[in-house]
Amino acid sequence: ATNVAETSLTVPGIRYVIDPGLARISRYSFRSRVQQLPIEPVSRASADQRKGRCGRISDGVCFRLYSEEDYDSRPEFTDPEIMRTNLASVILQMLQLKLGDIQRFPFVERPDRKQINDGFALLYELGAVDGQRQITRLGKQLARFPVDLRFARMLVAAGQLGCLHEIIVITSALTVQDPRDRPFDHQQAADEAHQQYRDERSDFLALTNLWKIYEELRQSLKAGQLRKYCRQNFLSFMRMREWREMHRQLLLICREMGLKENQGPADYGVIHRALLAGLLGQVAVRNGEHEYQGARNRKTFIFPGSSQFKRKPAWIVSAEVVETSRLFARTVAEIDSRWIEPLAGHLVRRTWHDPVFDEKLGQVMAREEVTLYGIVIVRHRMVDFSTVNEMEARELFIQQGLVEGRLKTRLKFYQHNHRLIRDIEQLESKTRRRDLLVESRALYEFYDQHLPATVSSEIGLRAYVNESKANAARLELTREELMRREAQLSESLYPDRLNVGNASLPLHYKFEPGTSDDGISVDIPLVMLGQVPASQLDWIVPGLLREKCLALIKSLPKSLRKHFVPAPETVEKALLDFDYDGRELVDAFADRLFRLSGTRVSASDFQLGNIEDYLALNIRVLDERGRLVASGRDIRVLRESLGQEVSEHLASRKPHPLERQGLTDWDFGALPDSVEVREGPVNVKLYPALVDDGTTVSINLCENQRQARLLSEKGLLRLLLIRLADQRRFLEKNIPNFETFSLYYATRGTRAALIENLVRAVFRFTLVEGKPEVRNTGEFEARLEKRGELFERMEQVARIVASVLQQTMAIEGQLRENDFEPAASDIRRQLDRLLPADFPESVPFEWLRHYPRYFRAIHHRIERLPGYLDRDSQLIDIIRPLELRYETVEESERERLTRFRWMLEEFRISLFAQSIGTHLPVSEKRLEKEWREVMGLRQ
């Protein structure tokens, strides 16, 4: 039952043979190009050979483990080896010996035609034959080696690459039986012993490591010691000798052929490129946890005994692929996929897809995919498509580069044509029609007609244009050739810039319905966001004003819209002498419609949500480098969302020469009304402001003039307090009747806070409030000359504050003693508004003078409350919504509503204490009008 039974040896003492009827027979599959070792039934001749191993000296017995019918059904003889092996070596020798066409050679048993074709395919892979199946010079070299042709190809490549020393060692080892023993009962010990030769990346280099160690020992040890070393390290001494002999023979042949050994050690990449030259069909790429995709879509697995079994590199090459229980790659090494293509240029298949014009390179590029036997070795490599398909590359160059304007070049004809096209597209965007520029097909046909067939890139185009002036002139288009019909637009109707103050903001026209920037876009620098009036943006441009007004009329409810029919005629009449007057368009247009028809229309009647987006300017906010920060159609929303960014930008930008810090006196000369700085594409006007930093003053630049004025008032007050420190201290110590009325303030704040607020209020009322802005040293010094008025003003303020605080305490006592809800809560809210934390500093002196009247009105209201609660509640319902409107406005916006705020106090007198009388005419309608006028001009 052993291999002895397959030999012709006579072994004495054998009396019995057990024949299972099976054998592992080597077969080569020309379809998958895999050497297989399947277990299959033996032939009758092989079975008889086995039976003959017993009874050679005397009678014996053969036990066959299969039936006689099975025996009779088997083929008479085993297939000859020429029918189950690769014929590449045979074919090459026949070509070398010039034995004629192998298809006609009189073989005893002719191999299958597919086997012959497979042999030629391997020879072509190795470069031994050309496309006409003629032997090449390399093929003649390979025919001289007495080894597998793959190994011969490695040796030739090694001689060229400078790693012949290592490759001879490897190929000679692969030619003989592996000298490393692995006995069944000592497998672990053998593996541990062989570990010393192991290489982490390559099983091939493990052979060179073994050779190096063995050769060093061979030089220093005696034969017996060497045999002992082999026995201890599980090496076959006889196979090692066979290996050395094969190495010697190959070395002599290489020297005869002029292949020189390298003196120094070769690196990993060189060695494995030489191996790849003979093993291109053994390349595989990882396609799962343990699975690899080999040539011709074979599923391959690394043999478990390989050093690469656990590492699982991405790309491998193996010395052989053998099919047993599964397809195993044996003697495996990690490789770089970039090594494959230069060696397999005659085998790879190249496909190209997604050709597109590359703006940077100025030519049409395509993604190239390179495959070897179905394995993708190069993915998505960009290559010049003109070398693949010059005609299609030229078409794409003309269409995408020239017609679509993606070519980046300074050629004069191209710049001329592009400028004309851009001007015509601008006209189309302004008129919102796509019927001026000729179709792209016409442009394509123009360039296709005038460009030579060889021009498919910017380099080729430049060469053609530089040949002669006539070539360049031939490629220039005229306005008449580009336009379907003539069109002229007035600059006044469709301006390219919007003038806001001293700044000129660029406008961009775009006609692409459905996109976020369809219509007209205006570029506004970030720091200028607070300076552009929303009302001015609402008027869009004169060329679209008629269309927007028509859309406004169509958005009205039907009950109002019927008064303005026909709408186009109404708009024509309304637009006569109708220009921007500081109001928003909806307010101005509503007023104009009322004047034309007598029908009352308010801005809130227009359903702005029904207006197309392109009829409102798209606001693009840019930073100092011209990069987009945010965009939208409502500047108010942008201001609210970008307020913090504006402040951070102003704080982080490079300081202006005017800006200073730590000031304690006006020693910086004149303070200009404004300065201009460059922000992106425009010059932006910023406004210097004196900023109160607590103990000192600084000069900062603000984007908003109103903000700068408010800050400067506080900064000027701080400078005055610093300069007039003596007067300040005197006032703090000489407040009339302070010890008396300060007691009334105990429930609202500290004594020190009241002194601070009183002194600051007196300074502000006397030297700042209601006076022209201070802009230079002279004006500042002149303001200081009014210091004598401080003491008189202090008497006035102290008298009012004393009276107010005393009355406040009395009012609060009355409210505690009586149940006057909800009137009591309303009065307490009023007291909190009249007496804020910084009272009296934050109250304008103009209105502080009226405080005694306000408090008399409160007393009068309380006296009437016992029999007047129901009516009082009704009056609260009238005043409370107006107060809530004011309270919901941001703190920064309330300065503009100062008059509205004090009109509310006067309105309270008209509601709750008419007998006392108001300072000015006031009513609910007047308050509404005041609110609309102020908020209508909101910037």
Side-chain angles (χ1 to χ4, degrees):
T2 69
N3 288 341
V4 174
E6 293 288 341
T7 69
S8 298
L9 296 177
T10 298
V11 181
I14 297 225
R15 297 289 182 269
Y16 303 94
V17 170
I18 300 174
D19 178 16
L22 301 172
R24 189 181 292 277
I25 298 176
S26 175
R27 291 187 181 275
Y28 176 76
S29 172
F30 56 81
R31 291 185 178 87
S32 60
R33 293 192 180 180
V34 172
Q35 194 69 37
Q36 300 171 326
L37 291 173
I39 297 173
E40 56 185 50
V42 298
S43 65
R44 282 182 288 168
S46 181
D48 293 342
Q49 175 78 357
R50 292 182 176 186
K51 181 183 71 171
R53 290 313 93 215
C54 65
R56 298 295 293 271
I57 298 176
S58 62
D59 293 340
V61 178
C62 176
F63 296 93
R64 286 177 173 162
L65 305 183
Y66 48 96
S67 65
E68 187 174 356
E69 290 78 8
D70 187 2
Y71 171 83
D72 292 335
S73 66
R74 297 186 179 191
E76 185 176 359
F77 299 102
T78 304
D79 292 336
E81 189 171 355
I82 196 172
M83 305 294 288
R84 48 189 176 88
T85 189
N86 186 280
L87 298 179
S89 296
V90 175
I91 295 171
L92 186 62
Q93 290 299 329
M94 293 181 68
L95 292 173
Q96 175 77 343
L97 297 173
K98 299 181 180 179
L99 297 182
D101 187 358
I102 189 173
Q103 301 279 10
R104 299 178 181 178
F105 190 82
F107 288 103
V108 175
E109 292 189 52
R110 182 179 300 279
D112 190 277
R113 181 171 58 84
K114 294 181 179 179
Q115 284 184 273
I116 296 174
N117 291 338
D118 177 71
F120 271 111
L122 178 58
L123 291 174
Y124 182 71
E125 176 185 308
L126 299 175
V129 298
D130 58 21
Q132 286 72 43
R133 295 189 172 184
Q134 300 299 312
I135 191 169
T136 63
R137 180 180 177 183
L138 176 59
K140 293 178 181 179
Q141 286 181 298
L142 301 184
R144 297 178 61 181
F145 288 96
V147 292
D148 189 295
L149 292 180
R150 292 185 176 91
F151 302 157
R153 180 68 184 90
M154 296 178 198
L155 291 168
V156 174
Q160 297 168 345
L161 295 173
C163 58
L164 186 61
H165 173 77
E166 290 82 2
I167 296 300
I168 291 179
V169 172
I170 293 171
T171 52
S172 58
L174 295 174
T175 303
V176 302
Q177 190 174 351
D178 194 334
R180 293 168 291 188
D181 285 333
R182 196 169 183 264
F184 181 78
D185 51 347
H186 294 90
Q187 289 183 355
Q188 183 175 353
D191 290 341
E192 292 175 356
H194 296 158
Q195 191 70 26
Q196 60 183 312
Y197 316 123
R198 187 184 185 94
D199 185 272
E200 289 302 316
R201 298 177 64 192
S202 173
D203 294 338
F204 296 98
L205 294 185
L207 298 172
T208 64
N209 294 338
L210 171 58
W211 175 269
K212 182 179 179 181
I213 294 173
Y214 184 81
E215 282 297 295
E216 290 175 353
L217 294 172
R218 191 180 66 82
Q219 299 292 335
S220 60
L221 299 179
K222 295 180 180 180
Q225 293 173 323
L226 194 60
R227 285 178 181 271
K228 183 179 180 180
Y229 172 82
C230 290
R231 188 168 54 254
Q232 291 175 344
N233 290 275
F234 296 93
L235 299 175
S236 171
F237 180 75
M238 296 303 296
R239 291 178 201 158
M240 292 298 297
R241 288 182 60 181
E242 184 182 357
W243 182 6
R244 289 197 67 254
E245 179 60 24
M246 177 58 67
H247 179 274
R248 186 183 67 81
Q249 292 179 25
L250 291 178
L251 182 60
L252 291 175
I253 293 173
C254 288
R255 288 174 178 173
E256 289 176 6
M257 296 177 61
L259 301 177
K260 295 183 179 180
E261 270 193 290
N262 50 302
Q263 299 303 314
D267 65 27
Y268 185 94
V270 171
I271 294 172
H272 287 80
R273 285 202 295 274
L275 293 172
L276 267 175
L279 299 174
L280 290 171
Q282 312 289 74
V283 172
V285 60
R286 187 151 60 90
N287 193 28
E289 183 65 22
H290 294 284
E291 182 181 300
Y292 282 77
Q293 179 191 348
R296 301 168 189 86
N297 206 28
R298 297 181 309 210
K299 292 183 179 179
T300 310
F301 299 85
I302 297 178
F303 188 69
S306 170
S307 63
Q308 305 305 297
F309 179 72
K310 293 183 178 179
R311 287 189 68 242
K312 295 174 285 191
W315 288 85
I316 61 169
V317 65
S318 57
E320 60 179 347
V321 179
V322 179
E323 185 176 11
T324 54
S325 59
R326 54 174 34 174
L327 200 59
F328 284 114
R330 302 171 64 97
T331 313
V332 178
E334 178 185 10
I335 61 170
D336 189 332
S337 61
R338 292 175 294 182
W339 300 342
I340 302 173
E341 187 182 6
L343 297 169
H346 61 299
L347 300 174
V348 297
R349 290 188 176 183
R350 304 175 189 272
T351 56
W352 301 270
H353 53 90
D354 299 334
V356 66
F357 178 74
D358 190 297
E359 299 176 13
K360 293 182 179 179
L361 299 177
Q363 61 188 29
V364 178
M365 305 293 288
R367 297 185 185 276
E368 183 181 49
E369 187 173 86
V370 184
T371 59
L372 173 66
Y373 296 136
I375 305 174
V376 180
I377 59 176
V378 177
R379 291 182 184 273
H380 306 316
R381 179 170 61 194
M382 301 304 293
V383 298
D384 182 0
F385 191 56
S386 64
T387 61
V388 179
N389 189 329
E390 187 175 26
M391 181 178 296
E392 188 176 347
R394 178 178 181 273
E395 293 174 357
L396 289 172
F397 173 72
I398 293 175
Q399 178 61 40
Q400 298 181 6
L402 296 174
V403 176
E404 296 179 12
R406 293 166 56 185
L407 178 64
K408 307 298 183 185
T409 181
R410 294 184 178 181
L411 292 174
K412 291 183 178 179
F413 90 87
Y414 180 78
Q415 296 292 336
H416 167 80
N417 294 350
H418 196 59
R419 187 164 50 252
L420 285 179
I421 292 172
R422 190 169 59 246
D423 291 344
I424 297 172
E425 288 177 339
Q426 184 78 342
L427 289 175
E428 289 185 327
S429 294
K430 289 180 177 180
T431 59
R432 300 191 64 79
R433 298 178 62 179
R434 286 283 184 249
D435 59 354
L436 298 181
L437 184 65
V438 296
E439 295 180 350
S440 60
R441 185 64 191 172
L443 290 175
Y444 178 89
E445 291 174 353
F446 172 84
Y447 286 118
D448 185 39
Q449 178 183 352
H450 292 91
L451 282 176
T454 56
V455 174
S456 59
S457 67
E458 197 270 343
I459 296 175
L461 177 64
R462 185 180 296 278
Y464 172 72
V465 170
N466 292 337
E467 280 181 9
S468 66
K469 293 183 178 180
N471 289 348
R474 193 176 297 118
L475 293 174
E476 282 193 5
L477 287 157
T478 64
R479 187 180 178 89
E480 290 73 22
E481 289 175 316
L482 287 170
M483 293 191 70
R484 301 183 196 177
R485 60 182 181 81
E486 191 61 33
Q488 295 291 338
L489 293 179
S490 169
E491 176 66 22
S492 61
L493 294 178
Y494 297 94
D496 293 326
R497 307 189 75 83
L498 177 68
N499 295 320
V500 178
N502 294 330
S504 180
L505 306 177
L507 297 176
H508 308 281
Y509 294 82
K510 185 176 182 180
F511 179 36
E512 289 186 18
T515 59
S516 60
D517 56 349
D518 179 39
I520 308 174
S521 297
V522 57
D523 291 346
I524 301 179
L526 183 62
V527 296
M528 195 179 170
L529 192 59
Q531 302 178 25
V532 180
S535 54
Q536 185 174 357
L537 299 182
D538 194 33
W539 285 70
I540 201 161
V541 296
L544 289 180
L545 187 59
R546 180 184 182 281
E547 191 172 347
K548 184 168 185 177
C549 290
L550 187 60
L552 287 172
I553 289 181
K554 291 180 179 179
S555 73
L556 289 171
K558 187 175 181 181
S559 58
L560 289 174
R561 191 171 64 245
K562 64 183 181 181
H563 297 287
F564 308 107
V565 176
E569 292 183 9
T570 303
V571 171
E572 290 296 336
K573 296 176 182 178
L575 292 183
L576 294 175
D577 298 323
F578 187 58
D579 298 307
Y580 173 60
D581 58 0
R583 293 180 295 170
E584 291 193 6
L585 176 62
V586 287
D587 292 312
F589 190 57
D591 183 59
R592 179 57 62 95
L593 290 179
F594 170 66
R595 295 177 183 276
L596 284 175
S597 65
T599 301
R600 175 67 67 180
V601 179
S602 65
S604 60
D605 293 327
F606 297 113
Q607 304 298 314
L608 299 182
N610 298 331
I611 306 296
E612 295 284 350
D613 283 347
Y614 75 88
L615 292 175
L617 284 179
N618 177 52
I619 301 158
R620 293 164 25 102
V621 183
L622 310 179
D623 63 12
E624 72 281 3
R625 296 183 181 180
R627 297 174 301 190
L628 183 66
V629 176
S631 63
R633 306 275 176 176
D634 192 334
I635 194 171
R636 298 180 183 87
V637 174
L638 290 172
R639 282 177 185 153
E640 184 175 347
S641 62
L642 297 176
Q644 182 65 26
E645 287 192 40
V646 174
S647 301
E648 291 175 358
H649 174 71
L650 287 172
S652 63
R653 63 177 175 77
K654 183 179 179 181
H656 189 274
L658 188 64
E659 293 180 291
R660 296 176 62 181
Q661 295 196 2
L663 299 173
T664 57
D665 200 356
W666 196 295
D667 55 2
F668 43 84
L671 193 66
D673 291 335
S674 63
V675 295
E676 283 193 355
V677 296
R678 189 71 178 175
E679 287 284 339
V682 300
N683 288 326
V684 176
K685 182 180 288 188
L686 296 179
Y687 302 91
L690 290 174
V691 180
D692 182 2
D693 294 329
T695 58
T696 61
V697 174
S698 60
I699 300 177
N700 292 346
L701 296 182
C702 300
E703 75 277 10
N704 186 281
Q705 187 176 20
R706 179 172 54 82
Q707 179 189 14
R709 180 174 58 78
L710 293 175
L711 287 174
S712 291
E713 286 186 1
K714 296 179 180 179
L716 176 62
L717 177 60
R718 175 60 63 186
L719 273 184
L720 292 169
L721 288 167
I722 294 172
R723 276 290 302 272
L724 299 176
D726 293 340
Q727 288 79 0
R728 176 182 179 179
R729 285 191 292 271
F730 182 83
L731 288 176
E732 288 175 348
K733 296 177 181 179
N734 293 277
I735 301 175
N737 300 319
F738 182 73
E739 297 301 331
T740 302
F741 70 77
S742 62
L743 297 175
Y744 304 131
Y745 191 72
T747 58
R748 294 192 170 270
T750 65
R751 185 173 184 275
L754 181 58
I755 294 174
E756 175 73 12
N757 290 335
L758 277 168
V759 173
R760 287 179 61 88
V762 169
F763 267 76
R764 189 167 70 83
F765 297 158
T766 307
L767 304 176
V768 178
E769 187 176 279
K771 295 181 173 52
E773 291 185 78
V774 174
R775 285 292 170 184
N776 54 54
T777 307
E779 293 175 354
F780 180 72
E781 294 296 334
R783 193 63 56 87
L784 292 174
E785 295 299 323
K786 298 181 178 294
R787 63 173 67 94
E789 301 175 10
L790 290 170
F791 309 105
E792 179 183 349
R793 184 57 57 90
M794 174 57 86
E795 292 180 359
Q796 297 174 349
V797 173
R799 186 169 57 252
I800 296 173
V801 171
S803 172
V804 166
L805 293 178
Q806 184 178 5
Q807 292 185 67
T808 301
M809 181 168 286
I811 292 170
E812 289 176 340
Q814 288 179 290
L815 296 178
R816 284 194 299 269
E817 294 172 2
N818 298 280
D819 184 14
F820 290 148
E821 294 297 341
S825 296
D826 181 63
I827 293 172
R828 290 191 183 98
R829 284 194 298 268
Q830 183 183 7
L831 291 176
D832 290 339
R833 285 192 300 272
L834 290 171
L835 301 172
D838 52 358
F839 174 81
E841 182 192 355
S842 60
V843 180
F845 187 72
E846 173 190 357
W847 298 103
L848 183 65
R849 292 186 293 108
H850 296 286
Y851 264 49
R853 189 163 49 84
Y854 297 154
F855 279 84
R856 287 200 306 274
I858 296 174
H859 279 295
H860 181 79
R861 177 183 180 185
I862 293 174
E863 291 172 358
R864 297 175 57 191
L865 276 177
Y868 205 69
L869 281 174
D870 291 341
R871 176 57 179 164
D872 192 274
S873 297
Q874 295 173 3
L875 297 177
I876 291 174
D877 292 339
I878 295 174
I879 187 68
R880 187 58 186 154
L882 295 169
E883 291 177 338
L884 284 173
R885 185 185 297 184
Y886 173 78
E887 291 169 3
T888 54
V889 173
E890 292 184 11
E891 199 71 35
S892 59
E893 296 287 334
R894 290 185 181 177
E895 185 270 339
R896 294 186 299 110
L897 290 166
T898 299
R899 179 177 170 83
F900 181 84
R901 183 259 177 277
W902 297 107
M903 284 179 68
L904 288 173
E905 295 299 332
E906 298 294 335
F907 189 45
R908 278 185 166 275
I909 293 177
S910 70
L911 293 177
F912 299 107
Q914 293 181 2
S915 59
I916 292 178
T918 60
H919 169 63
L920 46 77
V922 65
S923 64
E924 190 173 0
K925 288 185 177 180
R926 290 178 186 272
L927 281 166
E928 186 67 35
K929 180 181 179 182
E930 175 71 17
W931 177 271
R932 291 183 58 188
E933 286 181 357
V934 175
M935 302 309 287
L937 295 175
R938 184 177 182 223
Q939 295 183 8

